[in-house]
């Protein structure tokens, strides 16, 4: 049995252990039921439960939750918009998320998959310092997609930032929170005005008939 001050009282009969706890106005709590014999400690049970709950919440808060963010492009996405998406991808990765980059084809765009492959390759070159490739560019029906995940160094940086925030919080100081991540919906290039190639062919046929 462990006393309230942390000293080891050795093996005691249950009635003696309970009597000792009552004498100091505390509780007798089994802290290691799998021990031989089981280990009990004299403590304030209410405070003990509070501390255990606090530890569990702290451990949960420190866990790194990895999400899969999706960024969509089109074969016709221009250089400026592509750079905007690359910056967004880097911010997703730096926050510890995986990113799936999807290039969606429409109409005659399916005839030129090399355009999408080139775009994905350019994106990969711009983020290769941060990522490992989980899925290389490959066709998925009317899309070409690749999946990348953060390198271990990214998680190391996140853990370091977490430790710095914890220390600052303990000192009562303000530590900058991580930058807000981009909105996936705002990065969506899947607009509806891109069927021009198909529509042009239909309009040409109508003109010829008239």
């Amino acid at each position: 049995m462990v006393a309230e001050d942390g000293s080891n009282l050795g093996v005691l009969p249950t009635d003696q252990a309970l009597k000792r706890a009552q004498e100091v106005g505390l509780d007798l709590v089994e802290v290691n039921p799998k021990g031989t014999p089981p280990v009990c400690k004299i403590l304030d049970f209410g405070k003990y439960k509070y501390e255990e709950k606090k530890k569990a919440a702290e451990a949960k808060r420190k866990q790194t939750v990895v999400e899969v963010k999706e960024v969509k492009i089109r074969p016709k996405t221009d250089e400026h918009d592509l750079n905007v998406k690359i910056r967004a991808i880097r911010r997703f990765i730096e926050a510890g998320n995986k990113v799936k980059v999807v290039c969606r084809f429409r109409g005659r765009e399916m005839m030129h998959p090399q355009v999408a492959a080139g775009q994905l390759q350019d994106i990969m070159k711009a983020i290769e310092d941060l990522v490992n490739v989980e899925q290389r560019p490959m066709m998925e029906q009317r899309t070409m997609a690749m999946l990348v995940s953060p390198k271990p160094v990214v998680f190391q940086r996140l853990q370091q930032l977490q430790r710095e925030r914890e220390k600052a919080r303990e000192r009562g100081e303000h530590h900058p929170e991580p930058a807000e991540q981009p909105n996936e919906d705002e990065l969506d290039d899947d607009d509806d005005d891109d069927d021009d190639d198909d529509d042009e062919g239909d309009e040409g046929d109508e003109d010829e008939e008239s």
Side-chain angles (χ1 to χ4, degrees):
M1 189 176 84
V2 180
E4 66 278 5
D5 59 0
S7 59
N8 191 344
L9 299 178
V11 179
L12 295 178
T14 302
D15 57 343
Q16 290 186 25
L18 287 169
K19 183 179 179 180
R20 172 63 185 267
Q22 291 171 353
E23 288 174 350
V24 295
L26 295 173
D27 305 296
L28 181 65
V29 178
E30 189 176 51
V31 293
N32 184 8
K34 295 182 180 180
T36 307
V39 179
C40 294
K41 186 175 182 179
I42 296 174
L43 47 75
D44 182 331
F45 185 68
K47 183 178 179 181
Y48 170 75
K49 291 295 292 182
Y50 171 77
E51 292 294 336
E52 288 296 303
K53 186 176 180 180
K54 186 177 178 182
K55 288 178 184 178
E58 185 73 9
K60 184 177 180 180
R61 189 166 59 83
K62 289 183 178 181
Q63 287 179 346
T64 301
V65 179
V66 179
E67 298 180 18
V68 178
K69 302 293 185 177
E70 186 169 290
V71 175
K72 298 176 182 177
I73 62 174
R74 293 289 311 281
K76 71 170 194 175
T77 301
D78 61 30
E79 183 177 356
H80 170 75
D81 289 342
L82 207 59
N83 286 333
V84 170
K85 292 176 186 291
I86 287 172
R87 289 194 294 271
I89 292 170
R90 292 186 67 89
R91 285 163 63 187
F92 283 141
I93 292 293
E94 288 168 348
N97 300 300
K98 296 182 181 183
V99 178
K100 184 176 184 179
V101 187
V102 180
C103 184
R104 188 177 299 279
F105 301 99
R106 281 185 177 165
R108 297 186 180 92
E109 291 173 349
M110 283 289 293
M111 299 172 63
H112 305 286
Q114 71 276 7
V115 176
Q119 288 174 313
L120 295 179
Q121 186 61 36
D122 289 341
I123 291 173
M124 187 61 220
K125 288 179 181 178
I127 61 174
E128 60 184 357
D129 59 314
L130 296 176
V131 305
N132 291 319
V133 180
E134 288 198 10
Q135 175 190 305
R136 296 196 172 278
M138 61 182 297
M139 292 296 297
E140 299 177 355
Q141 297 182 343
R142 297 186 67 85
T143 66
M144 182 179 290
M146 71 175 180
L147 179 66
V148 295
S149 59
K151 287 184 175 180
V153 66
V154 174
F155 291 114
Q156 291 170 7
R157 291 174 190 166
L158 288 173
Q159 291 170 358
Q160 178 63 30
L161 287 172
Q162 181 67 32
R163 287 193 291 268
E164 291 175 1
R165 282 196 292 272
E166 290 297 326
K167 290 179 181 178
R169 190 177 292 110
E170 291 173 0
R171 296 193 297 266
E173 300 174 357
H174 173 72
H175 192 281
E177 293 297 320
E180 185 177 349
Q181 294 187 48
N183 187 317
E184 289 178 81
D185 293 334
E186 295 175 358
L187 297 171
D188 192 350
D189 250 7
D190 193 20
D191 42 38
D192 293 327
D193 61 349
D194 294 326
D195 292 325
D196 297 341
D197 290 341
D198 292 339
D199 295 341
E200 287 174 2
D202 295 338
E203 291 172 4
D205 294 340
E206 292 176 4
D207 291 341
E208 290 178 6
E209 291 176 3
S210 60

PDB file of all heavy atoms in Angstrom, residues 84-103:
ATOM      1  N   VAL A  84      -2.247  29.607 -56.349  1.00  0.00           N
ATOM      2  CA  VAL A  84      -3.125  29.786 -55.189  1.00  0.00           C
ATOM      3  C   VAL A  84      -3.413  28.437 -54.540  1.00  0.00           C
ATOM      4  O   VAL A  84      -3.366  28.278 -53.317  1.00  0.00           O
ATOM      5  CB  VAL A  84      -4.450  30.465 -55.605  1.00  0.00           C
ATOM      6  CG1 VAL A  84      -5.453  30.434 -54.449  1.00  0.00           C
ATOM      7  CG2 VAL A  84      -4.194  31.904 -56.028  1.00  0.00           C
ATOM      8  N   LYS A  85      -3.692  27.446 -55.359  1.00  0.00           N
ATOM      9  CA  LYS A  85      -3.997  26.113 -54.853  1.00  0.00           C
ATOM     10  C   LYS A  85      -2.761  25.459 -54.225  1.00  0.00           C
ATOM     11  O   LYS A  85      -2.867  24.739 -53.224  1.00  0.00           O
ATOM     12  CB  LYS A  85      -4.574  25.249 -55.971  1.00  0.00           C
ATOM     13  CG  LYS A  85      -5.960  25.729 -56.415  1.00  0.00           C
ATOM     14  CD  LYS A  85      -6.476  24.934 -57.590  1.00  0.00           C
ATOM     15  CE  LYS A  85      -7.800  25.540 -58.097  1.00  0.00           C
ATOM     16  NZ  LYS A  85      -8.888  25.349 -57.133  1.00  0.00           N
ATOM     17  N   ILE A  86      -1.594  25.706 -54.800  1.00  0.00           N
ATOM     18  CA  ILE A  86      -0.355  25.164 -54.230  1.00  0.00           C
ATOM     19  C   ILE A  86      -0.128  25.732 -52.831  1.00  0.00           C
ATOM     20  O   ILE A  86       0.240  25.003 -51.899  1.00  0.00           O
ATOM     21  CB  ILE A  86       0.841  25.467 -55.150  1.00  0.00           C
ATOM     22  CG1 ILE A  86       0.769  24.582 -56.403  1.00  0.00           C
ATOM     23  CG2 ILE A  86       2.162  25.242 -54.415  1.00  0.00           C
ATOM     24  CD1 ILE A  86       1.788  24.940 -57.465  1.00  0.00           C
ATOM     25  N   ARG A  87      -0.371  27.029 -52.663  1.00  0.00           N
ATOM     26  CA  ARG A  87      -0.212  27.629 -51.329  1.00  0.00           C
ATOM     27  C   ARG A  87      -1.203  27.020 -50.339  1.00  0.00           C
ATOM     28  O   ARG A  87      -0.867  26.772 -49.173  1.00  0.00           O
ATOM     29  CB  ARG A  87      -0.399  29.145 -51.409  1.00  0.00           C
ATOM     30  CG  ARG A  87       0.751  29.872 -52.102  1.00  0.00           C
ATOM     31  CD  ARG A  87       0.701  31.368 -51.851  1.00  0.00           C
ATOM     32  NE  ARG A  87      -0.465  32.002 -52.461  1.00  0.00           N
ATOM     33  CZ  ARG A  87      -0.486  32.473 -53.699  1.00  0.00           C
ATOM     34  NH1 ARG A  87       0.599  32.382 -54.463  1.00  0.00           N
ATOM     35  NH2 ARG A  87      -1.569  33.049 -54.195  1.00  0.00           N
ATOM     36  N   ALA A  88      -2.418  26.766 -50.812  1.00  0.00           N
ATOM     37  CA  ALA A  88      -3.423  26.141 -49.948  1.00  0.00           C
ATOM     38  C   ALA A  88      -3.009  24.720 -49.564  1.00  0.00           C
ATOM     39  O   ALA A  88      -3.156  24.308 -48.404  1.00  0.00           O
ATOM     40  CB  ALA A  88      -4.775  26.125 -50.649  1.00  0.00           C
ATOM     41  N   ILE A  89      -2.480  23.985 -50.520  1.00  0.00           N
ATOM     42  CA  ILE A  89      -2.028  22.609 -50.251  1.00  0.00           C
ATOM     43  C   ILE A  89      -0.929  22.620 -49.200  1.00  0.00           C
ATOM     44  O   ILE A  89      -0.924  21.803 -48.267  1.00  0.00           O
ATOM     45  CB  ILE A  89      -1.536  21.937 -51.547  1.00  0.00           C
ATOM     46  CG1 ILE A  89      -2.714  21.713 -52.507  1.00  0.00           C
ATOM     47  CG2 ILE A  89      -0.858  20.598 -51.240  1.00  0.00           C
ATOM     48  CD1 ILE A  89      -2.294  21.290 -53.898  1.00  0.00           C
ATOM     49  N   ARG A  90       0.010  23.544 -49.317  1.00  0.00           N
ATOM     50  CA  ARG A  90       1.107  23.629 -48.352  1.00  0.00           C
ATOM     51  C   ARG A  90       0.558  23.916 -46.951  1.00  0.00           C
ATOM     52  O   ARG A  90       1.031  23.351 -45.961  1.00  0.00           O
ATOM     53  CB  ARG A  90       2.113  24.694 -48.771  1.00  0.00           C
ATOM     54  CG  ARG A  90       2.903  24.345 -50.033  1.00  0.00           C
ATOM     55  CD  ARG A  90       3.988  25.397 -50.316  1.00  0.00           C
ATOM     56  NE  ARG A  90       5.012  25.378 -49.286  1.00  0.00           N
ATOM     57  CZ  ARG A  90       6.105  24.610 -49.313  1.00  0.00           C
ATOM     58  NH1 ARG A  90       6.300  23.774 -50.322  1.00  0.00           N
ATOM     59  NH2 ARG A  90       6.988  24.665 -48.335  1.00  0.00           N
ATOM     60  N   ARG A  91      -0.450  24.781 -46.863  1.00  0.00           N
ATOM     61  CA  ARG A  91      -1.027  25.092 -45.552  1.00  0.00           C
ATOM     62  C   ARG A  91      -1.757  23.881 -44.977  1.00  0.00           C
ATOM     63  O   ARG A  91      -1.690  23.627 -43.764  1.00  0.00           O
ATOM     64  CB  ARG A  91      -1.958  26.299 -45.672  1.00  0.00           C
ATOM     65  CG  ARG A  91      -1.196  27.611 -45.823  1.00  0.00           C
ATOM     66  CD  ARG A  91      -2.079  28.725 -46.341  1.00  0.00           C
ATOM     67  NE  ARG A  91      -3.171  29.052 -45.433  1.00  0.00           N
ATOM     68  CZ  ARG A  91      -4.149  29.903 -45.741  1.00  0.00           C
ATOM     69  NH1 ARG A  91      -4.168  30.482 -46.931  1.00  0.00           N
ATOM     70  NH2 ARG A  91      -5.094  30.163 -44.866  1.00  0.00           N
ATOM     71  N   PHE A  92      -2.450  23.128 -45.816  1.00  0.00           N
ATOM     72  CA  PHE A  92      -3.099  21.898 -45.347  1.00  0.00           C
ATOM     73  C   PHE A  92      -2.051  20.927 -44.804  1.00  0.00           C
ATOM     74  O   PHE A  92      -2.219  20.334 -43.738  1.00  0.00           O
ATOM     75  CB  PHE A  92      -3.869  21.227 -46.487  1.00  0.00           C
ATOM     76  CG  PHE A  92      -5.186  21.876 -46.820  1.00  0.00           C
ATOM     77  CD1 PHE A  92      -5.591  22.003 -48.135  1.00  0.00           C
ATOM     78  CD2 PHE A  92      -6.030  22.337 -45.818  1.00  0.00           C
ATOM     79  CE1 PHE A  92      -6.813  22.583 -48.458  1.00  0.00           C
ATOM     80  CE2 PHE A  92      -7.259  22.921 -46.120  1.00  0.00           C
ATOM     81  CZ  PHE A  92      -7.643  23.045 -47.448  1.00  0.00           C
ATOM     82  N   ILE A  93      -0.977  20.740 -45.572  1.00  0.00           N
ATOM     83  CA  ILE A  93       0.083  19.806 -45.176  1.00  0.00           C
ATOM     84  C   ILE A  93       0.767  20.262 -43.893  1.00  0.00           C
ATOM     85  O   ILE A  93       1.008  19.469 -42.969  1.00  0.00           O
ATOM     86  CB  ILE A  93       1.124  19.665 -46.308  1.00  0.00           C
ATOM     87  CG1 ILE A  93       0.502  18.959 -47.526  1.00  0.00           C
ATOM     88  CG2 ILE A  93       2.359  18.900 -45.820  1.00  0.00           C
ATOM     89  CD1 ILE A  93       0.146  17.506 -47.298  1.00  0.00           C
ATOM     90  N   GLU A  94       1.065  21.548 -43.796  1.00  0.00           N
ATOM     91  CA  GLU A  94       1.742  22.084 -42.614  1.00  0.00           C
ATOM     92  C   GLU A  94       0.880  21.952 -41.361  1.00  0.00           C
ATOM     93  O   GLU A  94       1.397  21.989 -40.247  1.00  0.00           O
ATOM     94  CB  GLU A  94       2.124  23.546 -42.854  1.00  0.00           C
ATOM     95  CG  GLU A  94       3.286  23.694 -43.838  1.00  0.00           C
ATOM     96  CD  GLU A  94       3.491  25.118 -44.314  1.00  0.00           C
ATOM     97  OE1 GLU A  94       2.598  25.968 -44.058  1.00  0.00           O
ATOM     98  OE2 GLU A  94       4.536  25.395 -44.925  1.00  0.00           O
ATOM     99  N   ALA A  95      -0.434  21.800 -41.551  1.00  0.00           N
ATOM    100  CA  ALA A  95      -1.343  21.590 -40.421  1.00  0.00           C
ATOM    101  C   ALA A  95      -1.473  20.105 -40.080  1.00  0.00           C
ATOM    102  O   ALA A  95      -2.221  19.724 -39.184  1.00  0.00           O
ATOM    103  CB  ALA A  95      -2.716  22.171 -40.732  1.00  0.00           C
ATOM    104  N   GLY A  96      -0.743  19.242 -40.824  1.00  0.00           N
ATOM    105  CA  GLY A  96      -0.743  17.813 -40.529  1.00  0.00           C
ATOM    106  C   GLY A  96      -1.754  16.991 -41.291  1.00  0.00           C
ATOM    107  O   GLY A  96      -1.992  15.833 -40.951  1.00  0.00           O
ATOM    108  N   ASN A  97      -2.367  17.570 -42.334  1.00  0.00           N
ATOM    109  CA  ASN A  97      -3.377  16.848 -43.101  1.00  0.00           C
ATOM    110  C   ASN A  97      -2.800  16.198 -44.354  1.00  0.00           C
ATOM    111  O   ASN A  97      -1.803  16.670 -44.899  1.00  0.00           O
ATOM    112  CB  ASN A  97      -4.498  17.806 -43.524  1.00  0.00           C
ATOM    113  CG  ASN A  97      -5.193  18.438 -42.347  1.00  0.00           C
ATOM    114  OD1 ASN A  97      -5.770  17.748 -41.514  1.00  0.00           O
ATOM    115  ND2 ASN A  97      -5.133  19.757 -42.259  1.00  0.00           N
ATOM    116  N   LYS A  98      -3.469  15.145 -44.808  1.00  0.00           N
ATOM    117  CA  LYS A  98      -3.179  14.596 -46.126  1.00  0.00           C
ATOM    118  C   LYS A  98      -3.958  15.429 -47.144  1.00  0.00           C
ATOM    119  O   LYS A  98      -4.948  16.071 -46.799  1.00  0.00           O
ATOM    120  CB  LYS A  98      -3.614  13.137 -46.229  1.00  0.00           C
ATOM    121  CG  LYS A  98      -2.874  12.196 -45.294  1.00  0.00           C
ATOM    122  CD  LYS A  98      -3.343  10.761 -45.513  1.00  0.00           C
ATOM    123  CE  LYS A  98      -2.619   9.797 -44.571  1.00  0.00           C
ATOM    124  NZ  LYS A  98      -3.019   8.388 -44.817  1.00  0.00           N
ATOM    125  N   VAL A  99      -3.502  15.410 -48.393  1.00  0.00           N
ATOM    126  CA  VAL A  99      -4.209  16.152 -49.439  1.00  0.00           C
ATOM    127  C   VAL A  99      -4.360  15.285 -50.687  1.00  0.00           C
ATOM    128  O   VAL A  99      -3.395  14.688 -51.159  1.00  0.00           O
ATOM    129  CB  VAL A  99      -3.472  17.458 -49.827  1.00  0.00           C
ATOM    130  CG1 VAL A  99      -4.220  18.175 -50.952  1.00  0.00           C
ATOM    131  CG2 VAL A  99      -3.344  18.382 -48.622  1.00  0.00           C
ATOM    132  N   LYS A 100      -5.595  15.220 -51.183  1.00  0.00           N
ATOM    133  CA  LYS A 100      -5.869  14.559 -52.448  1.00  0.00           C
ATOM    134  C   LYS A 100      -6.092  15.651 -53.494  1.00  0.00           C
ATOM    135  O   LYS A 100      -6.993  16.475 -53.349  1.00  0.00           O
ATOM    136  CB  LYS A 100      -7.102  13.671 -52.350  1.00  0.00           C
ATOM    137  CG  LYS A 100      -7.385  12.874 -53.633  1.00  0.00           C
ATOM    138  CD  LYS A 100      -8.568  11.926 -53.450  1.00  0.00           C
ATOM    139  CE  LYS A 100      -8.777  11.071 -54.693  1.00  0.00           C
ATOM    140  NZ  LYS A 100      -9.906  10.122 -54.532  1.00  0.00           N
ATOM    141  N   VAL A 101      -5.245  15.664 -54.522  1.00  0.00           N
ATOM    142  CA  VAL A 101      -5.376  16.643 -55.596  1.00  0.00           C
ATOM    143  C   VAL A 101      -6.061  15.958 -56.768  1.00  0.00           C
ATOM    144  O   VAL A 101      -5.585  14.934 -57.265  1.00  0.00           O
ATOM    145  CB  VAL A 101      -4.005  17.201 -56.024  1.00  0.00           C
ATOM    146  CG1 VAL A 101      -4.192  18.343 -57.029  1.00  0.00           C
ATOM    147  CG2 VAL A 101      -3.218  17.695 -54.819  1.00  0.00           C
ATOM    148  N   VAL A 102      -7.182  16.516 -57.193  1.00  0.00           N
ATOM    149  CA  VAL A 102      -8.006  15.898 -58.233  1.00  0.00           C
ATOM    150  C   VAL A 102      -8.131  16.838 -59.421  1.00  0.00           C
ATOM    151  O   VAL A 102      -8.533  17.990 -59.269  1.00  0.00           O
ATOM    152  CB  VAL A 102      -9.411  15.562 -57.697  1.00  0.00           C
ATOM    153  CG1 VAL A 102     -10.254  14.917 -58.791  1.00  0.00           C
ATOM    154  CG2 VAL A 102      -9.323  14.651 -56.486  1.00  0.00           C
ATOM    155  N   CYS A 103      -7.791  16.335 -60.608  1.00  0.00           N
ATOM    156  CA  CYS A 103      -8.002  17.086 -61.847  1.00  0.00           C
ATOM    157  C   CYS A 103      -9.188  16.445 -62.570  1.00  0.00           C
ATOM    158  O   CYS A 103      -9.147  15.267 -62.919  1.00  0.00           O
ATOM    159  CB  CYS A 103      -6.757  17.064 -62.733  1.00  0.00           C
ATOM    160  SG  CYS A 103      -6.946  18.074 -64.224  1.00  0.00           S
TER     161      CYS A 103
END
